Amino acid sequence: MYSRKIPEDLDCGIVVTMKILGGKWKACILDGIYKGIKRPSELHRAIGDASPRVINMQIRELEMMGVISKKIYPGLPLKVEYNLTELGNSILPVIAVIDRWGIENNHLIENLGELRIPLR
């Protein structure tokens, strides 16, 4: 089993928060589930820039951390749905602030692309 060489500082709130949101698509996955996108295939369509493999890996991590729960319905075809847990609901205000900040500042990031000088 893997053990970290440098122990995590779980007394630091930023470290704990990034442990949950530290994947490129995790905040989008949580936001999608909150907005009613419950099935894995729906999440894949909603987050089209990410590969299904990456989304599935990050869903698994969120489930292992107790942020989302998985419900498997019996029958064929197999039906799986994800829901936010109490912990998952508690991080939604953080995601909302991140979203608002990104919307308010997206023009600054867009302008960075114009300032880049190509390397030769």
Side-chain angles (χ1 to χ4, degrees), residues 26-69:
K26 286 181 182 176
C28 295
I29 291 167
L30 294 173
D31 187 54
I33 293 171
Y34 169 70
K35 291 178 177 172
I37 302 171
K38 307 283 186 185
R39 311 228 18 230
S41 60
E42 294 171 340
L43 287 166
H44 297 161
R45 280 192 297 277
I47 310 170
D49 291 340
S51 74
R53 179 180 167 275
V54 170
I55 291 175
N56 290 339
M57 285 174 31
Q58 293 192 356
I59 286 172
R60 235 175 285 124
E61 290 174 13
L62 290 166
E63 187 183 4
M64 286 175 21
M65 288 184 258
V67 179
I68 61 175
S69 62

Side-chain angles (χ1 to χ4, degrees):
M1 171 159 261
Y2 173 78
S3 62
R4 297 181 66 89
K5 293 179 182 170
I6 301 171
E8 292 178 298
D9 180 11
L10 297 179
D11 292 330
C12 175
I14 294 171
V15 171
V16 174
T17 304
M18 291 311 297
K19 191 164 180 67
I20 302 251
L21 295 180
K24 185 172 183 179
W25 303 106
K26 286 181 182 176
C28 295
I29 291 167
L30 294 173
D31 187 54
I33 293 171
Y34 169 70
K35 291 178 177 172
I37 302 171
K38 307 283 186 185
R39 311 228 18 230
S41 60
E42 294 171 340
L43 287 166
H44 297 161
R45 280 192 297 277
I47 310 170
D49 291 340
S51 74
R53 179 180 167 275
V54 170
I55 291 175
N56 290 339
M57 285 174 31
Q58 293 192 356
I59 286 172
R60 235 175 285 124
E61 290 174 13
L62 290 166
E63 187 183 4
M64 286 175 21
M65 288 184 258
V67 179
I68 61 175
S69 62
K70 178 180 184 178
K71 182 171 184 178
I72 302 173
Y73 293 92
L76 292 172
L78 187 65
K79 181 179 175 183
V80 174
E81 286 187 353
Y82 292 98
N83 290 291
L84 296 173
T85 63
E86 189 176 331
L87 180 62
N89 280 311
S90 72
I91 202 160
L92 290 174
V94 175
I95 293 171
V97 169
I98 291 170
D99 183 44
R100 190 169 37 255
W101 184 90
I103 289 168
E104 291 170 359
N105 294 287
N106 66 354
H107 65 283
L108 298 172
I109 303 304
E110 288 174 0
N111 293 339
L112 287 178
E114 297 169 8
L115 298 175
R116 291 194 184 121
I117 300 169
L119 298 175
R120 291 182 186 209

